[in-house]
Structure formats: structure tokens, C-alpha cells
Amino acid sequence: MRRRGLNVRAAGIVVTGELAVHELRYLIAPTAEAGHGYLPVLGVLSVVLLAVAAGHLAGVLESARRTGRGEIAAVRFSRAWPALALAILAVFAVQEAAEGLLSGAGAGALVLPFGAGGWVAAPLGVAAAAVLALALTGAGAAVGAAARAARRSLRPRRPSPRPLPDLPRRAFGVPLALNLAGRAPPPLG
């Protein structure tokens, strides 16, 4: 997995994060806005994208275990968190503006995403991005750890520095001669 697999994971995470922010926003600051009939389809899309991303991650982990090669681009939390927060908030703003335009709000739809309680989406988006960035960096770390473990096990083993001593071969009955046999049974009488 190179860049494409990382994009698959990021797409699944962004869609899931945006859906979570959208739902939490309307739970915290409800409005009487219509036009959410497509959300079940978006939920299914989110689950499908996450399943594809999880399957791809499982394949990458298996490949890293077999070959010892990890991902080219390691994801850092310090870069993933702001990028995911911006992506989630941008998708949220576009989605809310499209909902407003389709419901007939006109030019007011462009300020609608963060008006009427929509400002709650900003801290929710940042918090959701932090959780999802941890998941994304954790997945990258798991692939890196699997690759390192595979490289350690694929290294050729060094021969022992000193040879084992040659032990004399013992013939049958020799343990008795060397006093290595067990004790004799006690006398009966």
C-alpha cells in the first residue's frame, strides 16, 4: 500500500467524521430544517467506506508481515489532526450549504452552515478529527510495527559464536558403569 491505501482510509474517516459531526450538531442544537432524507444513504456510504478501508488495512498488515515493507508515507498526528479537522468542516459546510440551497433558502444558505447553532460543528469537528487522527496514525503505526517485526524475522541468523562441545556417545549399559543409574530397590527382608 502506498499513497492510494492511505487515501482510502482517509476518505472513509472523513465521511464518517463528517456524518458524526452533522448528527451531533443537530442533537446539540436542533433546528426545524428539512432536507435530511439522504442521511441514511450517507450512513450506508460511510459504513461501506469504513469496511473497504478496514479490509485494505488488513491486507496491508498481512503484506507487511510477509514482506517486511511498510508504508512509504507515515502519517503524523500533528499533520493529520488539522488536515482532518479542515476536511470535516469543509465537507460539513458544503453539505449544509447544499441542503439550504435545495430547501429554497436562497443566498442565506451560504451562511447557514455556521448560523442557527451550526457553530457547534466547529468544536465537534476538531474533537472528531482528533479521535480520527489517532485512529489513522494508529493504523500507520500498526503497519510499521508489523513490517519491523517481519524484517527482524527475515534476517539471516548468525551462527553460534562457539561450537558446542562434542559429547561422547555412550554405549548401552554405560550409565551403570559411570554410577549414573538410579538407586537399587530396597531389600525385601
Side-chain angles (χ1 to χ4, degrees):
M1 178 187 85
R2 301 295 183 235
R3 226 1 143 178
R4 192 183 105 243
L6 189 58
N7 290 341
V8 168
R9 273 186 259 158
I13 283 177
V14 167
V15 169
T16 303
E18 192 284 324
L19 184 62
V21 166
H22 188 274
E23 292 298 314
L24 287 173
R25 178 257 186 262
Y26 282 101
L27 284 174
I28 293 172
T31 60
E33 192 175 322
H36 291 137
Y38 68 94
L39 285 178
V41 174
L42 187 62
V44 170
L45 176 67
S46 172
V47 169
V48 167
L49 278 174
L50 279 180
V52 167
H56 196 272
L57 178 62
V60 169
L61 279 169
E62 183 58 34
S63 174
R65 283 187 194 118
R66 280 186 287 110
T67 64
R69 283 185 281 157
E71 297 177 314
I72 289 177
V75 178
R76 295 177 189 252
F77 180 81
S78 61
R79 289 187 178 181
W81 184 16
L84 284 173
L86 287 174
I88 288 171
L89 291 175
V91 172
F92 176 81
V94 168
Q95 177 186 1
E96 287 295 312
E99 284 177 3
L101 286 173
L102 292 175
S103 67
L110 299 178
V111 293
L112 185 66
F114 297 105
W119 62 270
V120 174
L124 288 174
V126 171
V131 171
L132 297 174
L134 280 174
L136 196 59
T137 55
V143 171
R148 283 190 300 278
R151 282 193 298 269
R152 278 195 300 270
S153 69
L154 292 175
R155 285 186 198 144
R157 304 221 181 232
R158 294 183 196 167
S160 177
R162 51 191 156 126
L164 295 175
D166 288 333
L167 299 175
R169 295 185 182 225
R170 297 183 179 162
F172 183 77
V174 174
L176 289 176
L178 295 175
N179 198 19
L180 295 176
R183 210 181 93 179
L188 293 175

